[in-house]
Amino acid sequence: MARDTRQRILDASLAMFNTQGEPHVTTNHIADELEISPGNLYYHFRNKDDIIEQLFARYEERMDAALATPGDRLPGLEDIWLQLHLIFECIWDYRFLYRDLVEILSRNRRIRLRFARILKRADDSAHAVMRGMGQAGVMRATADELAATATNILVIATFWLNYAAARGDKDEQIAIRRGIVQVMMLVAPFLRDAERVHLNTLTQAYLD
């Protein structure tokens, strides 16, 4: 029963943080949403930052899985598309971390260090994928161009939701779809003709 309550607190907190913004949600709000006493909530979590750290552990595990690259072959266009889907889906499910990123990182050193590790892992993964596509001949680009594209991919993926919110986009799911396409457009100029045609077909179908 205690484990069920703990999971309910985490699930409710994630939903409320995502919809209302983490700074606007207190532990009392979470307790009220679940119709439990604040004391019951504090039995499971010391404070709101404790809840955030547990949610971040879930996010971290999922993002690590999404960032895995093919180990037995060189990556292709479909690999990037699939990986971006997994990454952006993770960002969507834990979007409060990105939307309130500066606020959360500024007050929690442990999460700041763990998020830096995720960014380093994502950076390594993006560079590895770009190098692999260059080696496979799918992309025609210099080493510097591949490295710059990898970094640009990481920057756009990390801050796309913040950009979309600042621009006034109301539907974050549509914003994420556009974010995936925006990232793929970074790769497009370096693709061989056949892959570029394939990418354009995928993009049009995805945005329709």
Side-chain angles (χ1 to χ4, degrees), residues 65-111:
L67 290 171
T69 55
D72 56 345
R73 58 181 173 79
L74 293 173
L77 193 62
E78 297 286 352
D79 293 309
I80 298 181
W81 195 268
L82 174 59
Q83 188 173 55
L84 284 172
H85 267 280
L86 295 175
I87 290 170
F88 271 90
E89 283 174 0
C90 181
I91 291 173
W92 167 255
D93 288 343
Y94 292 88
R95 56 195 176 277
F96 82 93
L97 288 171
Y98 289 81
R99 189 171 52 207
D100 305 314
L101 185 63
V102 174
E103 166 76 17
I104 293 170
L105 298 188
S106 66
R107 71 169 191 261
N108 193 313
R109 181 176 179 273
R110 286 187 299 272
I111 289 183

Side-chain angles (χ1 to χ4, degrees), residues 6-141:
R6 182 181 176 84
Q7 292 304 314
R8 287 178 61 223
I9 292 170
L10 288 174
D11 292 343
S13 299
L14 178 59
M16 294 176 74
F17 291 163
N18 280 341
T19 56
Q20 301 175 35
E22 179 273 331
H24 304 296
V25 178
T26 67
T27 50
N28 283 341
H29 293 147
I30 298 167
D32 287 345
E33 177 71 17
L34 292 171
E35 298 182 343
I36 62 175
S37 68
N40 193 354
L41 185 147
Y42 289 127
Y43 173 79
H44 297 280
F45 298 99
R46 297 185 306 276
N47 48 42
K48 188 169 75 167
D49 273 358
D50 190 16
I51 294 173
I52 293 171
E53 286 190 31
Q54 294 302 314
L55 289 174
F56 190 89
R58 286 183 175 183
Y59 154 83
E60 197 172 24
E61 181 179 356
R62 187 159 157 198
M63 187 61 80
D64 275 335
L67 290 171
T69 55
D72 56 345
R73 58 181 173 79
L74 293 173
L77 193 62
E78 297 286 352
D79 293 309
I80 298 181
W81 195 268
L82 174 59
Q83 188 173 55
L84 284 172
H85 267 280
L86 295 175
I87 290 170
F88 271 90
E89 283 174 0
C90 181
I91 291 173
W92 167 255
D93 288 343
Y94 292 88
R95 56 195 176 277
F96 82 93
L97 288 171
Y98 289 81
R99 189 171 52 207
D100 305 314
L101 185 63
V102 174
E103 166 76 17
I104 293 170
L105 298 188
S106 66
R107 71 169 191 261
N108 193 313
R109 181 176 179 273
R110 286 187 299 272
I111 289 183
R112 185 165 68 248
L113 294 174
R114 290 165 70 182
F115 194 81
R117 186 196 70 81
I118 286 287
L119 286 180
K120 177 63 168 59
R121 171 87 193 278
D123 187 58
D124 291 344
S125 176
H127 279 76
V129 169
M130 290 298 101
R131 285 195 304 270
M133 291 185 67
Q135 292 167 11
V138 175
M139 293 177 66
R140 298 192 184 98

